[in-house]
Amino acid sequence: MLTAILQHSGFADCLVDFFSDYLVDRSTQYAWNSFLSHACDADVGMGQGSALSPILSVLYIAPLLHLFECQAQALSLDTSTLSYVDDGHLVSQGRTYDRTLPELTSSYSIVSDLMASFGLVIEHDKSEIFHFSRAHNDSNPELDLSAIGTSTLKPKTYCRYLGCYFDRWLSFKEHVQFYSTKALTTVKAMGMLGNSTRGLLPLQK
């Protein structure tokens, strides 16, 4: 599939051939100081942690996002996408949930079908829904996805995207609390890991 995408995108034949070879019959070795392990099979496609994985993932997913936009436009769905490697968001805006929830359901179904045709799988148990709303006593409803074969998504009180924590009112209190707690925990851990006579050196801390 990746080879077909690269060819359709107009990449040079030599580059397409390189990636065709890169993805099969690979091996790797692990080095630690002077130690070098024996060769291990690494025929796992785009392995996580590889320097090329993010680039190839983006090239692979780009046509899928384009097809989604075409189908959403044909169905008059006002849904946009945010994607960073394998972390994707469907975004729907409206004055009422009667507008946004059906759009999200339809969009989720389209994405699920497209991913299946690309040989990819949505991990439904990791899917989440989050509502931004300034209304007092907001209902914060669930999203029923039983019609497309998965469970109901219960809304979260805050969401995380690319290291930022958002609450429903964009106050950033959750974000500040998380990272201040993380910083204090790190400082306390450093004190336990080393002192003036043993453990971590001051330079390492």
Side-chain angles (χ1 to χ4, degrees), residues 1 5 60-65 67 113-120:
M1 185 67 172
I5 290 172
Y60 195 100
I61 294 174
L64 188 152
L65 297 177
L67 290 171
D113 292 341
L114 285 173
M115 289 186 69
S117 67
F118 273 62
L120 302 173

Side-chain angles (χ1 to χ4, degrees), residues 169-188:
W169 305 275
L170 292 178
S171 68
F172 289 95
K173 290 181 179 178
E174 184 67 34
H175 183 83
V176 173
Q177 181 178 355
F178 175 84
Y179 281 103
S180 59
T181 302
K182 185 175 181 180
L184 290 172
T185 304
T186 302
V187 171
K188 290 182 179 179

Side-chain angles (χ1 to χ4, degrees), residues 2-194:
L2 179 63
T3 301
I5 290 172
L6 293 175
Q7 289 175 333
H8 184 74
S9 301
F11 285 92
D13 291 339
C14 60
L15 192 64
V16 176
D17 292 340
F18 168 79
F19 283 116
S20 298
D21 292 336
Y22 173 78
L23 296 173
V24 296
D25 298 329
R26 292 207 321 270
S27 63
T28 188
Q29 289 179 288
Y30 296 94
W32 182 268
N33 294 329
S34 60
F35 169 77
L36 185 65
S37 73
H38 63 279
C40 307
D41 290 336
D43 191 11
V44 291
M46 290 185 289
Q48 190 169 10
S50 168
L52 287 172
S53 291
I55 299 170
L56 295 178
S57 296
V58 168
L59 290 172
Y60 195 100
I61 294 174
L64 188 152
L65 297 177
H66 174 69
L67 290 171
F68 167 77
E69 290 180 0
C70 292
Q71 292 190 30
Q73 186 175 9
L75 295 173
S76 299
L77 297 176
D78 188 19
T79 307
S80 57
T81 58
L82 293 172
S83 179
Y84 184 79
V85 190
D86 63 344
D87 189 358
H89 281 204
L90 293 171
V91 182
S92 180
Q93 302 179 62
R95 292 186 176 276
T96 65
Y97 292 120
D98 291 337
R99 173 182 173 83
T100 57
L101 291 179
E103 286 200 344
L104 287 174
T105 301
S106 299
S107 299
Y108 193 94
S109 178
I110 293 172
V111 169
S112 183
D113 292 341
L114 285 173
M115 289 186 69
S117 67
F118 273 62
L120 302 173
V121 177
I122 291 182
E123 295 180 280
H124 297 296
D125 57 334
K126 293 185 179 180
S127 297
E128 300 175 347
I129 186 170
F130 186 81
H131 301 299
F132 288 105
S133 175
R134 292 179 295 179
H136 295 289
N137 301 320
D138 184 79
S139 59
N140 202 20
E142 300 176 346
L143 181 64
D144 185 8
L145 297 175
S146 58
I148 58 176
T150 185
S151 58
T152 299
L153 297 183
K154 296 182 179 180
K156 301 291 184 178
T157 54
Y158 63 88
C159 74
R160 181 187 181 192
Y161 187 64
L162 302 183
C164 294
Y165 288 81
F166 301 98
D167 60 24
R168 302 188 62 209
W169 305 275
L170 292 178
S171 68
F172 289 95
K173 290 181 179 178
E174 184 67 34
H175 183 83
V176 173
Q177 181 178 355
F178 175 84
Y179 281 103
S180 59
T181 302
K182 185 175 181 180
L184 290 172
T185 304
T186 302
V187 171
K188 290 182 179 179
M190 286 166 55
M192 292 186 289
L193 290 172

